[in-house]
């Protein structure tokens, strides 16, 4: 019964890994992947000496760390709030509304962002003009987009992630809360001394799983929100968008392959190091 799944994983995930050798070759279309000459680490050297490698690496790590912290923090808070709600129907409606953004594609979100922040006809500047204030061109202010991207990432993912935490909270033995009530604990004491410590294993597991993607930016999010606006590249360009843009502008397959290989290796090293640290300090919370 497992054979179809195993075959699918081999076909999609493992066999294409042979293409890793592109990162170490001077790729020629007429010679193909295996016929092109080797060039060692020249593609990696060009990636970093061009001045782009460190920039997109910094941006990728920064955004993923900010998105990881903000989305997980908001998800935990929302899960606790929903769990503490007493109205059954209000709880279901609230959870559904919070979960809804997960089903909205990044293409639609990109349209929302453009219509909100567009200099000429955007909602933000329309409101500012209505109050006789000067319009703001956010598309010429690169580092403001750090906050915009983090906000929309949390808005889209917080409902989905909160479901996992709600399931973890529901599984807590109700006798713990009953005993706390008998001892006179208020709602905040129950949250800080029972709820949060009980879901810590779940928090660690989700943190480690997301940490494995610390150098993988959400391509759809960045591309749909930022697009090809060159003014914002220094503050918003990540490895994934850089690779895509390199492919469609230069047609050079080898250098983007080197960037992707570098990205994958760093992701692997990061999760192994952090998991090793957690295994030393809290073995029960480690992935393996």
């Amino acid at each position: 019964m497992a054979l179809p799944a195993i075959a699918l994983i081999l076909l999609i995930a493992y066999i294409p890994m042979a293409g890793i050798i592109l990162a170490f070759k001077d790729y020629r279309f007429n010679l193909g992947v295996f016929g092109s000459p080797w060039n060692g680490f020249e593609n990696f050297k060009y990636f970093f000496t061009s001045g782009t490698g460190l920039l997109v690496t910094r941006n990728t790590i920064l955004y993923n760390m900010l998105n990881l912290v903000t989305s997980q923090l908001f998800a935990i808070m929302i899960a606790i709030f929903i769990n503490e709600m007493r109205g059954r129907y209000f709880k279901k409606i609230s959870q559904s509304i919070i979960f809804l953004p997960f089903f909205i594609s990044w293409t639609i979100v990109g349209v929302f962002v453009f219509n909100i922040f567009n200099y000429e006809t955007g909602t933000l500047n329309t409101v500012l003009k209505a109050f006789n204030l000067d319009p703001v061109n956010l598309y010429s202010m690169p580092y403001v987009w750090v906050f915009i991207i983090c906000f929309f990432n949390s808005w889209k993912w917080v409902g989905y992630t909160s479901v996992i935490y709600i399931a973890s909270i529901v599984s807590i033995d109700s006798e713990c809360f009953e005993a706390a009530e008998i001892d006179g604990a208020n709602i905040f004491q129950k949250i800080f001394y029972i709820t949060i410590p009980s879901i810590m294993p779940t928090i660690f597991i989700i943190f480690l799983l997301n940490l494995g993607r610390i150098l993988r930016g959400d391509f759809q999010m960045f591309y749909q929100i930022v697009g090809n606006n060159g003014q914002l590249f220094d503050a918003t360009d990540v490895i994934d968008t850089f690779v895509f843009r390199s492919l469609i502008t230069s047609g050079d397959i080898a250098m983007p392959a080197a960037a992707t290989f570098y990205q994958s290796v760093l992701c692997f090293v990061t999760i192994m190091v952090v998991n090793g640290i957690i295994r030393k300090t809290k073995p029960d919370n480690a992935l393996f």
Side-chain angles (χ1 to χ4, degrees):
M1 291 179 66
L3 281 176
I6 294 172
L8 189 65
I9 291 174
L10 287 172
L11 181 65
I12 295 176
Y14 283 92
I15 293 177
M17 285 179 68
I20 288 174
I21 63 173
L22 274 173
F24 306 95
K25 288 202 168 192
D26 181 14
Y27 181 72
R28 309 284 177 81
F29 285 94
N30 60 327
L31 298 176
V33 176
F34 299 101
S36 297
W38 297 89
N39 69 347
F41 292 94
E42 287 300 314
N43 294 321
F44 296 92
K45 182 179 177 181
Y46 176 75
F47 175 60
F48 286 103
T49 57
S50 64
T52 308
L54 292 177
L55 174 67
V56 295
T57 301
R58 182 205 69 183
N59 288 346
T60 306
I61 295 174
L62 171 65
Y63 278 108
N64 280 325
M65 285 302 296
L66 288 174
N67 288 335
L68 176 59
V69 171
T70 55
S71 62
Q72 297 304 315
L73 180 62
F74 289 140
I76 293 169
M77 291 172 60
I78 287 173
I80 293 172
F81 289 156
I82 290 176
N83 182 68
E84 296 298 331
M85 290 179 183
R86 291 294 174 259
R88 179 182 174 186
Y89 294 105
F90 181 71
K91 180 187 291 189
K92 287 186 176 181
I93 292 171
S94 300
Q95 189 173 350
S96 299
I97 292 172
I98 295 169
F99 194 75
L100 181 62
F102 174 73
F103 297 101
I104 300 175
S105 73
W106 281 117
T107 305
I108 304 300
V109 175
V111 175
F112 288 163
V113 173
F114 181 78
N115 282 281
I116 293 171
F117 300 117
N118 179 264
Y119 182 74
E120 299 293 338
T121 59
T123 304
L124 175 63
N125 284 332
T126 301
V127 173
L128 290 176
K129 290 175 184 177
F131 287 95
N132 296 319
L133 299 173
D134 294 331
V136 179
N137 186 9
L138 292 182
Y139 285 94
S140 64
M141 303 166 65
Y143 291 97
V144 172
W145 289 84
V146 175
F147 303 98
I148 294 173
I149 289 172
C150 287
F151 170 79
F152 280 99
N153 178 79
S154 297
W155 172 78
K156 183 170 172 61
W157 285 102
V158 73
Y160 176 83
T161 310
S162 67
V163 172
I164 301 172
Y165 290 119
I166 290 171
S168 181
I169 292 172
V170 170
S171 66
I172 300 173
D173 191 349
S174 60
E175 292 183 357
C176 295
F177 295 103
E178 292 170 2
E181 287 181 2
I182 293 172
D183 290 338
N186 58 39
I187 186 172
F188 296 105
Q189 290 172 324
K190 287 188 288 184
I191 289 171
F192 284 108
Y193 294 107
I194 298 176
T195 304
I196 293 178
S198 297
I199 64 173
M200 283 304 294
T202 305
I203 294 173
F204 275 107
I205 290 172
I206 293 178
F207 174 76
L208 282 172
L209 291 174
N210 282 279
L211 196 65
R213 302 182 69 257
I214 196 69
L215 275 152
R216 293 195 180 277
D218 190 332
F219 169 76
Q220 291 189 59
M221 176 180 68
F222 285 96
Y223 189 74
Q224 295 298 338
I225 290 179
V226 177
N228 286 317
N229 190 332
Q231 296 182 82
L232 305 180
F233 284 165
D234 286 348
T236 62
D237 207 16
V238 294
I239 296 176
D240 302 78
T241 53
F242 168 77
V243 168
F244 175 76
R245 200 168 54 254
S246 299
L247 285 171
I248 63 175
T249 55
S250 67
D252 181 10
I253 297 177
M255 200 276 287
T260 306
F261 181 70
Y262 155 77
Q263 182 184 33
S264 300
V265 169
L266 281 187
C267 286
F268 175 75
V269 171
T270 301
I271 195 170
M272 291 297 291
V273 169
V274 175
N275 187 72
I277 294 172
I278 293 177
R279 190 171 61 244
K280 292 288 185 182
T281 56
K282 294 186 176 183
D284 294 338
N285 295 329
L287 280 177
F288 48 86

